[in-house]
């Protein structure tokens, strides 16, 4: 069967045929069960493998219904009626009692992909997309659930979401308000085959560190209840067979297109099945659904790879580049920017910025980004968020005047905002204290001396939007860094219902971003959240790049960028060269290696160029040239981890290097970056096996001695890297096919 979605009426099975995988579901007694997601099947399976013989209930004996409910592999499991495993949907009726029993009603298969109102969602783009909607109804007539699936040609990923409608009063049940206390976007079930679980953990300045461990019985979950996808855990989970390495083994992985609270959970059941679910965290979630109203859950991406973690990564990258990022910058070389944060922090004025701009221009840098501290009377992080008017002590000619002068020097201008926040010491807060999120009757906790604005309220959103948009309308600004520097706490509001604020807040943020990219389609938007606390597919729908971490030390970035690139394409990873000793960790790394690490992201600078030596400035000129030469390959090519920073593969425990490659789609060129983590005595030269090349093609090293290597030898015997001296020193090797 070719790419597409099929239904076999005799077998009562649905089959989604992807690039090299198949996703199969089937009906039994009206219940929808999950059958398989794995290596491609040429036809529908003969047997549904539901082992319905185990359940006397299926042969008409009502006395054993509970046993059936607790064993059947429901495609979308609900709680309250006998399935004690982790659920995807919990509904409370008008009296507060739980339970929903879903049975099949109808389905529709159609070409294309519908967007989700108010939420970021994948789009068809230039590839074929096919979608399936399966309608299920609660047997007591309270709710209708629509499970939505989309597949895209050429990618092994199933995009899933769910829509729930209150149908009470339409048929047999009384009209009543319902409460959704949990609505996840996806569930999938597979037999346990000794799987390990892979997740990402972290902290501020230490984001997305991979973690691999064995799965025991019971539940493993990662989540955020911070109102942001977070530094700490990540909306991602992968189940991998024990033999899984970078290039081998079976991987079933999931990521979430949402930027707020999430949960990802896997349960190894009493019968040794694995059920993996993902969606909005039910923590502090209680959504009232009036008769006729609908709730739509955000999308998840379920990726299958039988080519190990590398195959998983490249599937995610393709999906995100082709069907998530909308920005017109996606396929463009981004301007090389210099950001003044680490150069000056709050201590700057127009003259200082202009001096940075002048010297940056001489080195070939193309844009100046003015970071935090340009508004209100902000000399530290203690004031002024919300007062988005220029601080005239620092900018006597306003943002407009600065912009004009920067443009005269020959640079474009970018600016920082933190639109979602308000400082207690601000005009805005003094005027509208009730605009800050707080539980009525309780003083909210400050964090970085700031509160979160209640973006569930339209008048607050309008204020915030106008504050940002009026600056962009007045000044020639090409780039905005949209920051968000604290979690949501004291979650209460004078207008939003308890249990709904977290999600309504996210809908408010998405609405603001949608307005911004609609009014300013040429704007390059970069998201940020104390570094990378909101690095997720939801944000990538609005901004083609996200600041990855406040830790700009090249050695630390090896791990942070590698963990981030497990899911997200390097073209979206905000990465800059910064000053040494590094402000966060105090380490000194040579300038060339700092450049190699930043080249694997969006590239830019975060340092006071006016204080650099001539030697460092000469390095910048060389790096600028490298960026121009290699960025097409980095942005558009395929990414391969070669020797890894993380412990995902035990074999790399002994390697002292971290290396990766970008290979062009036509396999004509490849960029191999090699970084020695720690120098050591009496080390042998390393022979590193490359990936992604054509075995019988010949490649030469750009700038080398003309020696020709076959792809086969580079991938099987390995490439002998230069012997390096010192800690965190690197090399860049550019291979070209002859
Ligand atoms: C956090 C960001 O990650 C930094 O890059 C910087 O913009 C500061 N906020 C400014 O307050």
């Amino acid at each position: 069967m070719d790419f597409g979605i099929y239904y076999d009426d005799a077998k009562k099975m649905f089959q989604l045929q992807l690039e090299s995988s198949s996703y199969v579901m089937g009906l039994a007694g009206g219940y929808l069960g999950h059958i398989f997601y794995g290596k491609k099947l040429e036809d529908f399976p003969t047997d549904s493998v539901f082992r319905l013989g185990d359940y006397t209930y299926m042969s008409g004996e009502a006395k054993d219904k509970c046993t059936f409910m607790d064993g059947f592999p429901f495609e979308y499991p609900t709680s309250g009626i006998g399935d004690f495993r982790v659920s995807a949907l919990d509904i409370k009726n008008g009296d507060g009692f739980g339970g929903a029993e879903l049975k099949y009603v109808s389905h529709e298969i159609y070409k294309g992909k519908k967007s989700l109102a108010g939420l970021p969602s994948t789009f068809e783009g230039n590839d074929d997309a096919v979608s399936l909607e399966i309608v299920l109804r609660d047997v007591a007539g309270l709710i209708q659930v629509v499970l939505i699936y989309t597949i895209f040609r050429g990618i092994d990923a199933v995009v899933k979401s769910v829509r729930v409608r209150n149908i009470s009063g339409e048929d047999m049940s009384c009209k009543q308000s319902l409460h959704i206390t949990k609505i996840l976007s996806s569930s999938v079930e597979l037999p346990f085959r000794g799987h390990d679980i892979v997740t990402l953990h972290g902290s501020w300045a230490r984001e997305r560190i991979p973690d691999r461990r064995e799965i025991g019985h019971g539940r493993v979950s990662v989540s955020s209840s911070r109102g942001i996808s977070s530094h700490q855990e990540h909306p991602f989970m992968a189940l991998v067979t024990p033999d899984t390495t970078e290039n081998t083994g079976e991987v079933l992985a999931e990521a979430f297109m949402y930027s707020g609270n999430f949960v990802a959970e896997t349960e190894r059941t009493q019968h040794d099945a694995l059920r993996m679910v993902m969606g909005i965290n039910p923590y502090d979630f209680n959504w009232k659904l009036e008769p006729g109203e609908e709730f739509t859950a955000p999308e998840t991406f379920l990726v299958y790879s039988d080519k190990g973690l590398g195959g998983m990564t490249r599937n995610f990258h393709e999906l995100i580049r082709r069907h998530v990022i909308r920005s017109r910058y996606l396929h463009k070389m981004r301007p090389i920017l210099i950001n003044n944060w680490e150069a000056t922090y709050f201590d700057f004025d127009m003259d200082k910025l202009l001096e940075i701009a002048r010297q940056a221009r001489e080195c070939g840098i193309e844009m100046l980004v003015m970071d935090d501290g340009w508004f209100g009377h902000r000399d530290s992080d203690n004031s002024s968020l919300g007062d988005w008017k220029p601080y005239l002590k620092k900018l006597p000619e306003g943002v407009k005047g600065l912009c004009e002068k920067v443009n005269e020097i020959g640079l474009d201008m970018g600016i920082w905002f933190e639109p979602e926040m308000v400082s207690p010491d601000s005009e805005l807060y003094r005027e509208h204290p009730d605009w800050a999120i707080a539980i009525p009757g309780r003083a909210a906790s400050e964090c970085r001396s700031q509160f979160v604005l209640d973006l569930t309220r339209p008048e607050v959103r309008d204020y915030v939007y106008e504050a940002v948009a009026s600056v962009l309308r007045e000044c020639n600004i090409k780039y905005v860094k949209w920051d968000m520097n604290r979690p949501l706490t004291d979650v209460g509001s004078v207008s939003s219902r308890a249990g709904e604020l977290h999600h309504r807040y996210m809908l408010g943020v998405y609405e603001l971003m949608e307005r911004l990219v609609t009014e300013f389609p040429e704007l390059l938007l970069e998201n940020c959240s104390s570094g990378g606390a909101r690095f997720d597919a939801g944000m990538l729908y609005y901004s083609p790049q996200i600041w990855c971490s406040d830790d700009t030390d090249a050695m630390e970035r090896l791990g942070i960028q590698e963990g981030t690139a497990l899911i997200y394409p390097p073209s979206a990873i905000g990465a800059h060269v910064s000053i040494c000793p590094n402000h966060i960790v105090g380490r000194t790394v040579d300038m060339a290696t700092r450049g190699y690490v930043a080249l694997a992201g969006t590239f830019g600078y975060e340092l006071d160029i006016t204080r650099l030596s001539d030697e460092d400035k000469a390095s910048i000129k060389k790096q600028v040239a490298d960026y121009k030469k290699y960025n097409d390959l980095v942005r558009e090519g395929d990414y391969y981890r070669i020797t890894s920073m993380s412990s995902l593969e035990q074999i790399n425990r002994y390697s002292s290097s971290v290396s990766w490659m970008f290979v062009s789609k036509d396999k004509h060129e490849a960029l191999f970056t090699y970084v020695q983590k720690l120098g050591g005595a009496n080390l042998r030269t390393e022979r590193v096996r490359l990936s992604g090349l054509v075995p019988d093609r010949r490649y030469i090293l750009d700038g080398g001695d003309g020696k020709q290597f076959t792809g086969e030898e580079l991938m099987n015997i390995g490439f002998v890297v230069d012997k390096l001296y010192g800690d965190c020193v690197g090399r860049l090797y550019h291979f070209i096919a002859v």
Side-chain angles (χ1 to χ4, degrees):
M1 288 193 287
D2 293 338
F3 168 79
I5 298 182
Y6 303 88
Y7 177 66
D8 183 323
D9 196 33
K11 291 183 171 168
K12 301 267 178 275
M13 280 187 202
F14 297 93
Q15 186 151 326
L16 282 58
Q17 285 294 82
L18 297 97
E19 178 68 9
S20 41
S21 59
S22 300
Y23 186 102
V24 191
M25 295 168 276
L27 295 167
Y31 298 105
L32 181 66
H34 182 81
I35 297 178
F36 175 73
Y37 183 32
K39 207 175 167 73
K40 192 168 184 174
L41 306 167
E42 280 318 316
D43 209 342
F44 278 93
T46 310
D47 182 4
S48 70
V49 295
F50 283 149
R51 298 184 301 145
L52 295 176
D54 291 356
Y55 310 113
T56 51
Y57 173 67
M58 289 315 270
S59 43
E61 289 193 37
K63 66 175 188 175
D64 269 338
K65 183 171 176 184
C66 272
T67 317
F68 167 77
M69 286 307 211
D70 203 25
F72 187 74
F74 288 102
E75 175 68 15
Y76 194 64
T78 57
S79 65
I81 45 146
D83 183 349
F84 294 98
R85 296 158 293 177
V86 59
S87 65
L89 182 72
D90 297 350
I91 296 280
K92 302 273 183 276
N93 71 11
D95 297 320
F97 298 118
E101 184 176 347
L102 302 179
K103 288 212 172 181
Y104 171 83
V105 176
S106 63
H107 73 268
E108 187 192 354
I109 297 170
Y110 54 90
K111 277 189 185 310
K113 165 76 176 63
K114 293 180 188 161
S115 55
L116 306 184
L119 284 167
S121 52
T122 51
F123 52 86
E124 189 168 7
N126 296 325
D127 306 308
D128 291 350
V130 186
S131 301
L132 161 69
E133 297 196 6
I134 304 178
V135 180
L136 308 171
R137 272 188 180 211
D138 175 28
V139 295
L142 289 181
I143 53 161
Q144 174 170 291
V145 172
V146 182
L147 305 180
I148 309 162
Y149 302 80
T150 298
I151 57 173
F152 299 102
R153 192 183 285 280
I155 300 175
D156 281 305
V158 180
V159 173
K160 294 177 160 193
S161 72
V162 176
R163 201 165 62 231
V164 172
R165 189 160 67 91
N166 179 342
I167 55 165
S168 67
E170 287 180 18
D171 207 349
M172 71 258 238
S173 63
C174 309
K175 214 171 182 171
Q176 55 197 285
S177 321
L178 304 175
H179 286 265
I180 308 176
T181 53
K182 178 180 189 184
I183 177 164
L184 305 189
S185 301
S186 154
S187 173
V188 69
E189 206 158 314
L190 63 153
F192 176 69
R193 298 210 164 92
H195 289 82
D196 291 343
I197 197 161
V198 179
T199 56
L200 295 167
H201 71 98
S203 183
W204 171 73
R206 199 157 28 82
E207 295 91 341
R208 288 172 290 285
I209 307 300
D211 204 355
R212 175 175 178 167
R213 58 219 183 267
E214 282 174 20
I215 301 179
H217 284 97
R219 297 182 187 181
V220 187
S221 89
V222 291
S223 64
S224 165
S225 52
R226 296 164 191 264
I228 41 179
S229 43
S230 94
H231 294 106
Q232 286 72 14
E233 292 180 348
H234 198 74
F236 163 79
M237 186 167 266
L239 307 176
V240 306
T241 48
D243 56 335
T244 296
T245 66
E246 189 56 30
N247 301 311
T248 59
E250 280 192 287
V251 178
L252 191 65
E254 193 156 29
F256 195 25
M257 195 170 185
Y258 189 63
S259 315
N261 293 346
F262 74 89
V263 66
E265 192 158 5
T266 290
E267 177 171 347
R268 181 172 160 195
T269 71
Q270 57 180 333
H271 298 118
D272 267 335
L274 293 177
R275 180 181 278 179
M276 177 165 75
V277 295
M278 182 175 279
I280 294 178
N281 193 341
Y283 165 83
D284 201 12
F285 182 86
N286 187 336
W287 195 274
K288 192 170 185 191
L289 206 61
E290 300 291 1
E293 281 184 356
E294 282 189 344
F295 182 92
T296 302
E299 291 181 346
T300 60
F301 315 145
L302 197 61
V303 160
Y304 171 78
S305 157
D306 63 351
K307 297 190 176 51
L309 292 159
M312 172 199 80
T313 287
R314 285 182 290 281
N315 261 311
F316 274 127
H317 289 188
E318 283 305 291
L319 181 72
I320 291 170
R321 286 191 290 194
R322 281 149 64 173
H323 304 290
V324 170
I325 301 178
R326 296 178 296 173
S327 167
R328 49 188 72 175
Y329 282 90
L330 174 64
H331 296 298
K332 278 193 190 158
M333 200 178 287
R334 321 279 156 82
I336 302 175
L337 62 85
I338 185 159
N339 177 306
N340 74 306
W341 179 241
E342 287 194 34
T344 65
Y345 297 101
F346 296 99
D347 185 16
F348 66 87
D349 59 15
M350 182 170 83
D351 291 342
K352 177 72 193 174
L353 294 180
L354 292 178
E355 194 46 37
I356 291 177
R358 268 188 285 274
Q359 299 203 21
R361 165 84 179 139
E362 280 166 23
C363 293
I365 293 170
E366 297 158 324
M367 178 185 280
L368 173 74
V369 175
M370 176 169 62
D371 210 278
D372 193 356
W374 59 266
F375 50 92
H377 60 99
R378 189 150 164 104
D379 287 314
S380 72
D381 57 13
N382 286 326
S383 81
S384 304
L385 292 170
D387 298 345
W388 300 106
K389 295 279 175 275
Y391 188 3
L392 295 177
K393 183 181 95 178
K394 295 184 186 180
L395 304 178
E397 298 178 35
V399 178
K400 190 164 193 279
L402 171 71
C403 232
E404 285 166 2
K405 291 199 158 52
V406 168
N407 289 166
E408 275 161 29
I409 291 171
L411 261 66
D412 283 333
M413 183 74 200
I415 195 166
W416 178 97
F417 283 97
E418 194 176 358
E420 299 162 60
M421 298 293 153
V422 63
S423 307
D425 178 9
S426 66
E427 295 301 316
L428 182 65
Y429 188 72
R430 280 184 280 276
E431 215 174 303
H432 297 289
D434 62 307
W435 281 16
I437 287 181
I439 298 169
R442 181 186 286 276
S445 307
E446 290 182 30
C447 180
R448 210 191 187 214
S449 309
Q450 62 198 58
F451 295 128
V452 185
L453 285 168
D454 184 356
L455 296 180
T456 67
R457 295 169 65 172
E459 67 276 27
V460 181
R461 291 200 296 276
D462 285 346
Y463 171 86
V464 164
Y465 184 72
E466 279 310 309
V468 176
S470 60
V471 176
L472 302 188
R473 285 184 207 121
E474 193 195 353
C475 312
N476 182 24
I477 285 174
K478 304 273 187 191
Y479 160 108
V480 164
K481 179 176 175 186
W482 179 304
D483 205 348
M484 195 291 187
N485 283 306
R486 64 156 290 175
L488 271 62
T489 63
D490 308 279
V491 173
S493 162
V494 292
S495 66
S496 185
R497 273 195 297 256
E500 297 187 3
L501 194 142
H502 271 292
H503 183 59
R504 289 196 189 278
Y505 178 84
M506 269 332 303
L507 296 178
V509 172
Y510 290 144
E511 187 207 282
L512 285 173
M513 293 203 181
E514 187 65 38
R515 280 164 79 175
L516 198 66
V517 298
T518 306
E519 183 176 345
F520 304 98
E522 297 296 335
L523 184 73
L524 173 56
L525 185 62
E526 174 153 355
N527 259 284
C528 172
S529 179
S530 303
R534 218 163 48 177
F535 203 122
D536 55 64
M539 284 296 149
L540 288 174
Y541 185 65
Y542 305 95
S543 64
Q545 58 195 57
I546 301 177
W547 183 230
C548 179
S549 178
D550 277 346
D551 188 345
T552 52
D553 168 66
M555 179 91 125
E556 297 276 305
R557 276 295 186 118
L558 291 173
I560 296 168
Q561 292 179 197
E562 183 183 292
T564 306
L566 204 61
I567 312 166
Y568 308 101
S571 59
I573 296 179
H576 296 167
V577 174
S578 68
I579 200 67
C580 282
N582 180 268
H583 292 182
I584 303 276
V585 297
R587 183 180 288 119
T588 294
V589 171
D590 80 281
M591 187 69 173
T593 308
R594 277 180 268 161
Y596 301 152
V597 176
L599 280 176
T602 56
F603 198 72
Y605 292 88
E606 191 100 7
L607 41 72
D608 187 350
I609 199 166
T610 66
R611 296 178 179 204
L612 287 192
S613 64
D614 288 346
E615 196 190 341
D616 278 348
K617 284 188 191 155
S619 297
I620 293 185
K621 288 184 187 156
K622 161 86 174 55
Q623 288 166 347
V624 165
D626 281 349
Y627 172 76
K628 304 250 159 163
K629 182 169 176 186
Y630 301 127
N631 184 254
D632 285 350
L633 184 50
V634 169
R635 213 182 50 244
E636 309 289 340
D638 289 331
Y639 165 81
Y640 293 85
R641 280 176 294 275
I642 303 298
T643 51
S644 162
M645 184 78 171
S646 72
S647 54
L648 284 177
E649 267 189 74
Q650 292 305 323
I651 202 159
N652 283 323
R653 232 174 351 169
Y654 304 104
S655 170
S656 108
S657 69
V658 179
S659 58
W660 62 90
M661 281 177 80
F662 294 99
V663 181
S664 62
K665 291 279 179 202
D666 62 6
K667 309 239 177 232
H668 186 77
E669 3 162 33
L671 186 68
F672 170 52
T673 311
Y674 176 93
V675 180
Q676 172 170 289
K677 281 188 281 185
L678 292 175
N682 195 15
L683 294 176
R684 305 290 98 183
T685 19
E686 208 176 342
R687 223 181 239 283
V688 182
R689 291 164 132 196
L690 307 188
S691 287
L693 304 171
V694 182
D696 59 1
R697 256 202 192 162
R698 292 184 169 275
Y699 294 86
I700 54 163
L701 258 183
D702 186 10
D705 57 9
K707 241 190 288 177
Q708 296 191 2
F709 306 91
T710 60
E712 188 177 58
E713 69 176 303
L714 291 172
M715 293 193 291
N716 294 330
I717 308 176
F719 172 68
V720 182
V721 293
D722 297 332
K723 207 160 165 44
L724 297 172
Y725 185 67
D727 297 342
C728 201
V729 280
R731 284 280 183 280
L732 209 57
Y733 300 97
H734 183 209
F735 291 93
I736 303 174
V738 289

